[in-house]
């Protein structure tokens, strides 16, 4: 790892902006910079992100497993078969037609005015 004096100006700007953003979430950064320097503060920012990254990794794996299970369940379900899908879709369309608010409004105005 390079020391602060060995970094280029663009690297210093990037690290400085990262420290300012990190200071919004980790106020102890200012104390760490005073006590141990920018290298220590930057290392501890990454160390404090480790639990968050672990939690995000766990959630990502859980979501992918859930999606894989859903895809397998749908492929093996009766809804994925064309004859069953056609019957379900036709009943769903009929239910939507007979229970939709547009049709109920039509019934109301039809029976109200005639």
């Amino acid at each position: 790892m390079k020391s602060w004096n060995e970094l280029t100006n663009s690297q210093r700007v990037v690290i400085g902006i990262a420290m300012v953003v990190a200071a919004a979430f980790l106020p102890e950064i200012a104390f760490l910079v005073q006590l141990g320097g920018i290298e220590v503060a930057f290392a501890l920012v990454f160390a404090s992100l480790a639990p968050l990254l672990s939690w995000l990794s766990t959630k990502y794996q859980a979501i992918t497993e859930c999606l894989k299970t859903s895809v397998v369940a749908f492929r093996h379900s009766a809804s994925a078969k064309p004859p069953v899908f056609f019957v379900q879709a036709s009943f769903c369309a009929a239910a939507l037609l007979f229970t939709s608010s547009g049709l109920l409004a039509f019934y109301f105005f039809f029976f109200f005015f005639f």
Side-chain angles (χ1 to χ4, degrees):
M1 181 176 193
K2 294 181 179 180
S3 69
W4 181 254
N5 296 330
E6 295 173 356
L7 296 176
T8 64
N9 287 337
S10 61
Q11 289 173 331
R12 288 181 185 179
V13 168
V14 169
I15 290 175
I17 291 172
M19 285 293 119
V20 170
V21 170
F25 300 106
L26 301 167
E28 64 270 7
I29 291 298
F31 179 69
L32 289 173
V33 170
Q34 291 294 324
L35 194 62
I38 194 75
E39 295 92 356
V40 172
F42 202 67
L44 289 177
V45 165
F46 279 121
S48 66
L49 291 177
L52 175 67
L53 295 176
S54 174
W55 180 79
L56 286 174
S57 174
T58 304
K59 291 298 177 185
Y60 177 75
Q61 289 175 356
I63 289 171
T64 55
E65 284 297 319
C66 182
L67 290 175
K68 287 178 185 177
T69 304
S70 300
V71 167
V72 169
F74 181 73
R75 285 183 181 166
H76 290 91
S77 72
S79 297
K81 311 287 188 278
V84 175
F85 177 76
F86 178 73
V87 172
Q88 286 181 343
S90 60
F91 277 110
C92 182
L96 182 64
L97 176 70
F98 292 122
T99 62
S100 67
S101 60
L103 191 61
L104 291 175
F106 174 74
Y107 285 150
F108 173 74
F109 287 114
F110 182 75
F111 288 119
F112 183 73
F113 289 117
F114 296 110

